[in-house]
Amino acid sequence: MKTSNEYKESLRRMKPNIYKFGELIKDVTTHPSTRRTINGHAQIFDAALEPEYENILTTKSSLTGKKIIRYLSLIANAEDMIVNVRMKRLMFNLTGTCTGGRCVGFNALNAMWTTTFDMDKNLETNYNDRMKKWLIDAQNRDITISGALTDPKGDRSKSPIKQKDPEMNLNIVEETKNGIVVNGAKVMICGVAAANEIFIMPGTSYNEDEKNYAVSFVVPRDIENLTIVETRHPSDIRDQEKGFDNPVDIGGITQAYLLFENVFIPKERVFMNKEFNYTKKAVINFIALYRAAIGGCVAGQGDVMIGAAALMARANGLSEKTFKQKINQMIINNETTFGMGVAAAALGHKHSSGVWIPDTLLSNVNKVHVATLPYETKRLTQDIGGGIVETGCLPSFKDINNPKYGDLLKKYLKANCSSETRAKIARLIEWLTIGAGVPGCMHGGGSPDSAKIMINTKSNINHYIELAKRLADIKEDISIENKK
Amino acid sequence: MKTSNEYKESLRRMKPNIYKFGELIKDVTTHPSTRRTINGHAQIFDAALEPEYENILTTKSSLTGKKIIRYLSLIANAEDMIVNVRMKRLMFNLTGTCTGGRCVGFNALNAMWTTTFDMDKNLETNYNDRMKKWLIDAQNRDITISGALTDPKGDRSKSPIKQKDPEMNLNIVEETKNGIVVNGAKVMICGVAAANEIFIMPGTSYNEDEKNYAVSFVVPRDIENLTIVETRHPSDIRDQEKGFDNPVDIGGITQAYLLFENVFIPKERVFMNKEFNYTKKAVINFIALYRAAIGGCVAGQGDVMIGAAALMARANGLSEKTFKQKINQMIINNETTFGMGVAAAALGHKHSSGVWIPDTLLSNVNKVHVATLPYETKRLTQDIGGGIVETGCLPSFKDINNPKYGDLLKKYLKANCSSETRAKIARLIEWLTIGAGVPGCMHGGGSPDSAKIMINTKSNINHYIELAKRLADIKEDISIENKK
Amino acid sequence: MKTSNEYKESLRRMKPNIYKFGELIKDVTTHPSTRRTINGHAQIFDAALEPEYENILTTKSSLTGKKIIRYLSLIANAEDMIVNVRMKRLMFNLTGTCTGGRCVGFNALNAMWTTTFDMDKNLETNYNDRMKKWLIDAQNRDITISGALTDPKGDRSKSPIKQKDPEMNLNIVEETKNGIVVNGAKVMICGVAAANEIFIMPGTSYNEDEKNYAVSFVVPRDIENLTIVETRHPSDIRDQEKGFDNPVDIGGITQAYLLFENVFIPKERVFMNKEFNYTKKAVINFIALYRAAIGGCVAGQGDVMIGAAALMARANGLSEKTFKQKINQMIINNETTFGMGVAAAALGHKHSSGVWIPDTLLSNVNKVHVATLPYETKRLTQDIGGGIVETGCLPSFKDINNPKYGDLLKKYLKANCSSETRAKIARLIEWLTIGAGVPGCMHGGGSPDSAKIMINTKSNINHYIELAKRLADIKEDISIENKK
Amino acid sequence: MKTSNEYKESLRRMKPNIYKFGELIKDVTTHPSTRRTINGHAQIFDAALEPEYENILTTKSSLTGKKIIRYLSLIANAEDMIVNVRMKRLMFNLTGTCTGGRCVGFNALNAMWTTTFDMDKNLETNYNDRMKKWLIDAQNRDITISGALTDPKGDRSKSPIKQKDPEMNLNIVEETKNGIVVNGAKVMICGVAAANEIFIMPGTSYNEDEKNYAVSFVVPRDIENLTIVETRHPSDIRDQEKGFDNPVDIGGITQAYLLFENVFIPKERVFMNKEFNYTKKAVINFIALYRAAIGGCVAGQGDVMIGAAALMARANGLSEKTFKQKINQMIINNETTFGMGVAAAALGHKHSSGVWIPDTLLSNVNKVHVATLPYETKRLTQDIGGGIVETGCLPSFKDINNPKYGDLLKKYLKANCSSETRAKIARLIEWLTIGAGVPGCMHGGGSPDSAKIMINTKSNINHYIELAKRLADIKEDISIENKK
């Protein structure tokens, strides 16, 4: 297993193909736009060596028996899945934000493991074998793998082939003896800068006439003809500044647009090639895994918000007991998303491929919580923190250190601690609630509306109705005319 | 194992000591005030025989290896505890309300199993042996056991011995060679009418000067010198009426005041006798078990509310799709309390006595949800159901069947179904949301405020603060002066 | 102006035509099913004489210049409307519940004043003159007038004439020289037992082919061929009991089904006769008036809940400060529905007939609050009150006074006050939150869903869009294809 | 009255004393850090000339009878106050954010008008005369006046004179024949860059030993010895960029730290000089005015969010009807804060000085809504907008226009409109919900916790208790022992 330095070295060896603000990023490990997210991902390697975290971050490979990082493992049972939820919480605790360059890939490879298994069984393909070979190799190389599902999609009221431009979803444009050629894009992809490889899978289910979109594969991040453009996020120019205005150096997020221009994928790395019938199940299994695990993410960031809020209370001279009920609510919010993830894990089932799939209903219920509860937690953090944290309402690092008036600012920023500490806490809360640390918990892993549709799909209204009829001894069947 | 008829027969054989409205109830299985709750409890015996429910309602005794009803079992692992949550949901599904004459007893005996084990280990007592003998016998007799914790308490600002009347908490007034004599009361006790025996344990923790209150034992419901008075609940006179105004015949709740007047308890049935040091842990373990499991209760009643609401929508001529988002929210509420119970179970730990204790933090978080989410579910049920359900806004059964004007009422009550069916649904919703079916989910198992205190106790604010300090690289320690 | 005794006397003089539980109520002022609501309405007459309340409950008639009860007045300006909101709050304060036998009539006559004015202006009818004569007479007689809008409606997916039975909405079946004959029913009508007359108006808007449903008139409550059946509400048999189990003697609600069997209405009392075009505006004006005013109702009951909760806290030995944040939230809920009613009044406009119509948008926004916030207030009341109040969890009055065991119950019900006081508070909270005092705030005056439709109707999405476009300097017009 | 150009010219004529990022801002009307907020404030002058807005933005001076901008007027009645709420909503509509450089000054001068009036009456001072002269002159000069209340405060657990550094609150350090000298700071002050003068008043109430803090005055923004440092807010470096990444050019906020170093204030401009007894009422009146009016602010920004969300829905190819219920909730949130402000205005009272003071209870209830509802509105905006808006998840303006790969980005950003339009909408939503447009609605005008304290102060718990006791016929007085 790699050290964090070896990990960074592996990134440095790759060919630059990531841009931001119109410029090519030469070294992602040092460039201000990417180095924080890489620091965050590097913490995984460090923490894996600490006895305290070892059981969370590492496991034994079911393929080789060797000790591996958990992100490269197959999730085999409820316990594995619960540890996955814990791992996400831990990484948000350690980095303050998302280390998305690993967990989407982790979930995608598990989802596609089930799909390739099913395809091979039914279609006599050999996708699962390919995946197995690749995965053993990936475990041996101890690489980081981001995952990419979201297509640009274009006009949401039209299906992919009805778009003016049919390339709004990533698609296969050519098949050769040795592989396939793909065109299109995957957008808003987390943590690509921190990844050695990118695992691609469909972002939605497809019909027969859309089979060219039914594609899954894995590529090195620096593959030929792939251009990556990082999006800009709130306050991201502070990445380039010194001082505490960007308060966190050991974590950060990136989200990228991946532009595929006739990229050739060798067939050993292709895990789905037009088998449209299997896209739906692949996506549903991904969702079940992902939407259970994100409960840990937002709980992990919520933990940091509790700490930051309590710290600012103390900095202001107040005991956190003053805010007991608010902190209580924050804990409830965190434990709810965490707990629902655990519950989805506990009530899951084992797919015949050996992968454990969390309960779809609970997983999707949790997605709705993940899209609401953290917003209350953020609001409470700002409530406790006071005006100084709400919109980052304090002068810049440069001003606070200005020779002319900086001393006056320091004088007035002091409370029950030094002005610098108070400024750092204020900036941390800004970062967490309205700055660069805010992750995409609303739409990451799909929108809450899509989760609500899954919730309805997974609930049988007639079951509920029968319970009520039995209780009140109602025999009459009530039917509703089908109206147009 | 008993049949439901044998169960009812066992109740009939007991000495009458239950009163309501100033009168002694001669036969609890037929008296209007108690027969519905007994019908509800009897369903447990019937359902235990159905293959569909067998695995939920029965298990193998860890003491005898025989098949027993789950309510008499020791909870040995997470899976047992998860099935407990499911069992509560099932019983609310089948009876529409609480079968509290079993689950409190079930939780109490498991909690006291851990406590008697610890006492025996540390104090060289033989409480656990006594419990074991009694429990094997109870399993063999297949009896129903309600549980009683809540004392009258008096003035909440004063401790038990500071009360004007020191008997506001149940207490030991005499010790003899063969047993103890107790005085006092336990109040608001669920399902006593449906129970063969009553398991008593402390409702709170006690100090040394309060050791006379540290008492646990089990008694036949009809023990000498115990008088039981049933409380009245909303719309409870309808129990005595015919027709659908009381719409549910196969379930119902009772809550009783147990008045102990120098009741003698033989020592084989005494499981705590002044060991005040062990009261706190006993209560905490009870809480962890109980507050996890009630997530299933309110989910189970919520399921019925979804069904009743959807049925009324149809009765009114509307598809339940009209109320899609509301039903979605109801499902989310149900699955959240259910899921949090499952999560508390999954993250529990095994006590050295062999009993599985759910996670205290998640259990108490769930108690807060249980005290809030069902209220939203009820509101949505009334929202979907329309004016006719809100305050039971329809004429009585007698009026609807009145020879003079009943036909006119029937004419105008019709919608997309018969008037009788519509009336039954309306009464069912009234029963569920503002009538006799409403269980005590707010304060049952303790108040949400007591859960919030447990949540704070179980959360280490400094842990959160350290996470925040590490992230923002803050070294300064901020201390708060202790103020009076 | 009448005294409360004269008012009761006026009711006694009327012909009995109200039934409950299959029996004719001979004297509504003494019958247990109706006397509490009449006591509540009688308080209006008493309070009107008290200097403290005089300005709220009385005003000067704009028709005669005489002092009249406000419920018989025309609402002429924002101030009048604000006092209307205050009056509703006051009456809930004084009776604990709804005095619906006056306010629906009050709103209906104001709404129909505008409609008759418009009809007369456009159609050369003389409805407004008829109304004026009747209203002057009503003011002189100082009568109480309930209002009735809601029709049985039948299958909600079908329009009135598409129903199997076209009489599911009240309709004109014959026109004679001297009047009209109507058939059908009005259902769930508040406070009819307390009314001298009933004001009927359409419950929805009608098209030309539905013109027979476009009818408004006023009748004595005891008019020939009108049969009235009271609905039963939660715990309503306690009306017939003695003691504090029904804790409020000076207030109560009734809701009735009015069955019209070829009732002849003389033309002087007919205010709309098939003018279908005017039904929509009549209903909208009624809604604007009604949904503003109900903010006062739920605030008024909320005030009582705060008091009852704080009183129980004290009874339990706790200061209300223990529950500071909960009480705070209850106050916020009350002041929000009250304030939104005031705001709708303040932003209203004067109809050319002289009646002040509150702002429709704010009025309907308030309806949504009225259908949600009081539910939270109830929940908090139960939360503060403890287990004893949640489901009325205490023995009956009869049991507490039982010679055999009543003293023991009294002993254990004591806390920081006498057992009787504590029992009364518990029953009051039961009555307010889950008993006979719960008014129909969810669907009274229409469902929250209907309010949401009005909110959307009153909001111009393009206005909002233009604001956004202007700010971000967006010129492109984005149109959405109309899809089927 | 000035034109917007004359207004900008007036700012340019002032002496530079504002800093950001360590540098002096030479011309606030053109400097990237301040020009947007000045553009926003300039819109007031333009809109005042438009017939559509004239009645909102201008009024007749009660001092001179001349037409003046409303921000310089005395609020004389409910109608004036309601228009104030509307004015705030309008300005958020037109600028997308806060024009805080006027409204705090407006509220402060009205609050101090009441206080100076009271002081003059009781203490025979002549503060109100001074204010009158200054205000007539200010109206004639048509100047912009920001207001400043918030002191640095230091350790919140200690009173001002107990602070290690007693200058944590602005204080009088010297009195001369001609005026006073002050030292200290006012912090987080809105819109100073857009102001000609700054109105200072106490931020809290003071006791006798704190009388040096009891000070109010008005100064030119560029007064000698005043140094102003602008705080940095989220994404504020985009102010310096070109293109749509900072999407709004006609509005923006600034918040400043004002550093007073022995600033001399001539006595004509001093409106309170150590009269500590009057600080409490001054602050309460300010709060009543301010917390009513801010309901309009957040409603006005909410309007823009509805528009931006609906526009993004269309840009994505979806009708806003898809999100009907969410938009409905957003409207309800906006109208609630707006309506509660109107209600506080309508129920206000006239101070003997002639100023109208909104109802304190409703005003403070609204503050709590203002600190919560907009957060839900923001969340719903992000929910409707999709992943692209959540964290501003799209490439930068520079990248979208990059010659190498910009065309590909444009291709994939297209949906049901051009890529540029879609990018602009996304950036607008980022700006509104997590960017530079977010105003300080949580703590601006004081924290929600301080509003809750005012709510409790304004509510008499015994009044509520008496209502409950009367209803349930309870005579017993229940007292709670005073415990320590």
Side-chain angles (χ1 to χ4, degrees), chain B residues 115-130 271 278:
Chain B
T115 303
T116 53
F117 182 91
D118 289 344
M119 289 192 288
D120 288 5
K121 200 171 65 179
N122 300 332
L123 309 175
E124 303 193 3
T125 49
N126 67 341
Y127 292 124
N128 194 253
D129 289 339
R130 290 180 187 175
F271 307 138
Y278 291 80

Side-chain angles (χ1 to χ4, degrees), chain A residues 74 103 122 124 126 191 204 209 216 224 335 337 388 418 438:
Chain A
L74 294 169
C103 60
N122 300 332
E124 305 194 0
N126 67 340
T204 189
D209 56 358
S216 174
E224 198 80 15
E335 299 306 329
T337 58
I388 197 173
S418 72
V438 178

